Amino acid sequence: MMMNRRVFSAALVAGAAATLLSSRGMAATSAPVKARNVVLAHGLFADGSCWTEVIARLQAAGLNATAVQNPLTTLPEAASAVKRVLDRQDGPTVLVGHSFAGMLVTETGVHQNVSALVYVAARAPDAGEDYTALAKTYPAPPASAGIVFDGDEGRLSEAAFLRDFAGDLPEAKARVLYAVQQPFQKALLSGKTTEAAWRSKPSWYAVSTEDRTINPDLERFMAKRMGAKTIEVKASHLSLISHPDEISRLILEAAGAAA
């Protein structure tokens, strides 16, 4: 039977949609590429040391782990910092981002060395998407009210840090983390990604169910949209510190390594 132009066009669109959905679901349906390298990027109100607990576990499993020191200035400068570290890797690499660093995973995950993406309570925008506008479609998380600025330099107040950022950590430990938080430049928040690496790379996502910094339902939406293999951790925004075993196992899975 001959197919008319309208039916043919509809078939093409359906085929393209099926291909896109298939590529988004690779993490759940395909065996991960074996990777021995892991690059970890941090978000706002933190520095590279926030990955210490996870790094120790990855090293014990025989992986080479590197934490990026995000300059927290502009999105292009932060992405360049990640790219420089990715350039140094000697083979397949799992790229991991926490919180704001999900923007960096999304932007730089197209790098040829990246075999898989892991988002930990992280932003996961589409290419060119206004993340702030997306976030506003969900109730504002409590931590948002705790951001204070000195000119163009922003940070989280101590009360908000302890209650809304690191709420499930011992107070003494949370105070140490507060003391080393890195300020960010206001210009960083206006950046938009030009890539959406999760459209072409297998992805994993750890939702923090008790998150008061990013709305957990927003995290679930982004994870579902990208077709990520998703776990839920009963944790604050800092699951990488309060639940390092669960986060490490997710990264090891993305690296094709036994947990």
Side-chain angles (χ1 to χ4, degrees), residues 10-259:
L12 284 178
V13 171
T19 299
L20 177 58
L21 288 172
S22 175
S23 68
R24 290 184 187 180
M26 282 193 295
T29 59
S30 302
V33 172
K34 289 279 188 180
R36 66 174 302 273
N37 303 309
V38 180
V39 170
L40 308 114
H42 69 85
L44 307 183
F45 323 125
D47 67 6
S49 67
C50 67
W51 288 108
T52 300
E53 295 290 336
V54 169
I55 288 172
R57 287 160 173 78
L58 297 179
Q59 289 177 338
L63 298 185
N64 171 46
T66 306
V68 179
Q69 292 296 348
N70 181 351
L72 299 177
T73 49
T74 67
L75 183 61
E77 289 176 353
S80 291
V82 174
K83 288 176 182 174
R84 287 194 295 272
V85 176
L86 290 174
D87 287 341
R88 296 201 300 266
Q89 305 310 302
D90 60 1
T93 301
V94 177
L95 179 58
V96 187
H98 172 244
S99 193
F100 178 86
M103 301 277 288
L104 306 180
V105 171
T106 299
E107 180 74 3
T108 65
V110 295
H111 192 286
Q112 67 270 16
N113 285 341
V114 175
S115 57
L117 315 173
V118 179
Y119 293 81
V120 180
R123 301 184 181 197
D126 205 345
E129 184 172 44
D130 185 337
Y131 176 82
T132 300
L134 173 64
K136 285 181 178 178
T137 63
Y138 291 82
S144 300
I147 299 176
V148 294
F149 284 93
D150 297 317
D152 288 334
E153 191 172 83
R155 57 187 173 80
L156 204 59
S157 71
E158 183 173 17
F161 192 101
L162 299 181
R163 180 184 62 243
D164 302 324
F165 189 66
D168 62 346
L169 296 181
E171 184 175 334
K173 187 167 189 174
R175 287 186 181 279
V176 171
L177 294 169
Y178 168 76
V180 300
Q181 76 163 302
Q182 294 297 301
F184 67 91
Q185 293 297 310
K186 190 177 291 185
L188 182 67
L189 303 181
S190 62
K192 294 181 181 178
T193 57
T194 62
E195 303 281 356
W198 49 263
R199 287 190 174 276
S200 59
K201 300 290 178 77
S203 304
W204 281 256
Y205 199 110
V207 172
S208 284
T209 64
E210 311 302 306
D211 205 323
R212 293 169 60 86
T213 301
I214 295 179
N215 189 302
D217 285 334
L218 174 57
E219 294 177 15
R220 294 183 180 105
F221 165 78
M222 293 184 290
K224 183 177 180 180
R225 179 173 66 170
M226 71 171 71
K229 169 68 179 295
T230 304
I231 64 169
E232 296 210 354
V233 183
K234 189 176 182 180
S236 72
H237 195 56
L238 289 181
S239 58
L240 66 169
I241 298 174
S242 63
H243 291 74
D245 288 334
E246 290 95 320
I247 301 305
S248 298
R249 282 196 294 268
L250 191 68
I251 296 170
L252 288 169
E253 181 181 330

